[in-house]
Amino acid sequence: MARVQAALVAAGFRRYATYRQATFAGAFTNTVFGFLRCYILLSVAATAGGVMAGYTGPQLASYVWLGQGLLAVVNSWTMLDLAERVRTGDVVADLLRPVDPLWTYLWTDLGRAVYAVLTRFLAPLVVGAVAFGLYVPQSLLTYPLFALSTLLAIVVCFACRYLIGLTAFWLLDIRGVMMFWVFVSGAASGLYFPLAILPEWLATVLWVATPFPSLLQAPLDVVVERGGTGHALLVCLGQVVWTVLLLLACRVAQASAVRKLVVQGG
């Protein structure tokens, strides 16, 4: 089984490594928006004495530039091709293979994420480090916790996108669900702004009742050490819970979807 997993990860890596021009364009775009976001948040912090919602200037700079890098790694805006394969009926071939489609897509997506770390993540981070004074974590434990939190964010996001793809079994056209997901995941994941600036009750609801903060806010809070090591451990624990719940939801939804499958055209 380990050989199959390694092969799928490698296949995902090779697939996205072929799009070199798209990778460069994406990294360039993320870098440009990084400057815009960073200057806006630093300007807001400057009007409040240099601190915004508990983030200092260097922490905000790190929040922005690491977030720009993680955006492509977590990849919340790109849907899996599962819905298209359901629409065309090609999903039948996936279901006949010896490996469950859920795990096939997961391991392939992890390969994509590895490639994104080496390209889309590092490029904005280097630019941000040169142009701004980024926050350097003070605890050595922060580094492995950040790596763990990022991995969990990737899996949580994958599970959400897989569930969206599964809705094609009932809807066929998932564009409405996809547009809703893109809007909500951006606003509620900490991409546009730190969730700490929201009213406390709303931020608490997002953290406790939704998986959205686990996508970006969680690893970013861990790496800028907001709340210390204890908070970072609690954040990672929450991500573990959402990972388990969402993967179970994927299995249940998939089992329900294929219980009675009718392929168009026969």
Side-chain angles (χ1 to χ4, degrees):
M1 187 62 182
R3 293 179 58 185
V4 174
Q5 294 170 350
L8 290 172
V9 171
F13 185 97
R14 289 195 303 270
R15 175 183 178 183
Y16 283 86
T18 59
Y19 302 106
R20 291 184 289 273
Q21 291 182 337
T23 299
F24 174 80
F28 178 78
T29 303
N30 286 348
T31 302
V32 171
F33 276 97
F35 279 101
L36 295 175
R37 292 184 59 216
C38 197
Y39 280 124
I40 290 173
L41 291 183
L42 289 178
S43 297
V44 173
T47 63
V51 178
M52 186 185 78
Y55 296 89
T56 64
Q59 285 178 317
L60 282 175
S62 292
Y63 183 95
V64 169
W65 288 103
L66 287 166
Q68 290 301 110
L70 286 177
L71 180 60
V73 175
V74 176
N75 200 32
S76 62
W77 290 354
T78 304
M79 293 296 107
L80 303 169
D81 63 356
L82 174 61
E84 179 62 20
R85 294 184 69 80
V86 171
R87 190 186 67 81
T88 60
D90 292 337
V91 70
V92 173
D94 299 332
L95 295 171
L96 292 175
R97 295 189 176 106
V99 182
D100 190 299
L102 173 61
W103 308 124
T104 299
Y105 274 98
L106 174 58
W107 292 111
T108 304
D109 197 60
L110 288 177
R112 173 207 58 77
V114 172
Y115 177 72
V117 167
L118 298 177
T119 54
R120 299 285 297 275
F121 176 76
L122 289 180
L125 181 59
V126 171
V127 173
V130 172
F132 297 87
L134 301 186
Y135 178 82
V136 178
Q138 304 300 304
S139 172
L140 292 178
L141 186 59
T142 299
Y143 295 94
L145 283 177
F146 173 63
L148 173 62
S149 183
T150 300
L151 175 61
L152 292 170
I154 294 168
V155 178
V156 168
C157 186
F158 160 79
C160 291
R161 290 183 293 130
Y162 195 83
L163 284 171
I164 293 172
L166 288 175
T167 63
F169 279 98
W170 294 274
L171 302 176
L172 285 184
D173 189 341
I174 68 165
R175 285 178 292 181
V177 180
M178 183 179 66
M179 291 175 63
F180 177 79
W181 159 260
V182 169
F183 173 76
V184 176
S185 64
S189 67
L191 171 62
Y192 302 146
F193 49 78
L195 298 182
I197 71 173
L198 296 174
E200 184 176 354
W201 67 268
L202 180 55
T204 301
V205 169
L206 290 175
W207 275 105
V208 175
T210 76
F212 298 117
S214 295
L215 304 181
L216 285 175
Q217 186 72 59
L220 293 176
D221 272 358
V222 169
V223 75
V224 301
E225 297 180 324
R226 187 175 190 275
T229 303
H231 177 71
L233 292 172
L234 183 62
V235 164
C236 290
L237 178 60
Q239 287 180 287
V240 170
V241 172
W242 278 113
T243 298
V244 174
L245 290 177
L246 287 169
L247 288 177
L248 285 175
C250 288
R251 293 300 302 272
V252 172
Q254 180 174 288
S256 176
V258 302
R259 189 172 294 121
K260 185 179 180 180
L261 174 63
V262 178
V263 178
Q264 294 189 88

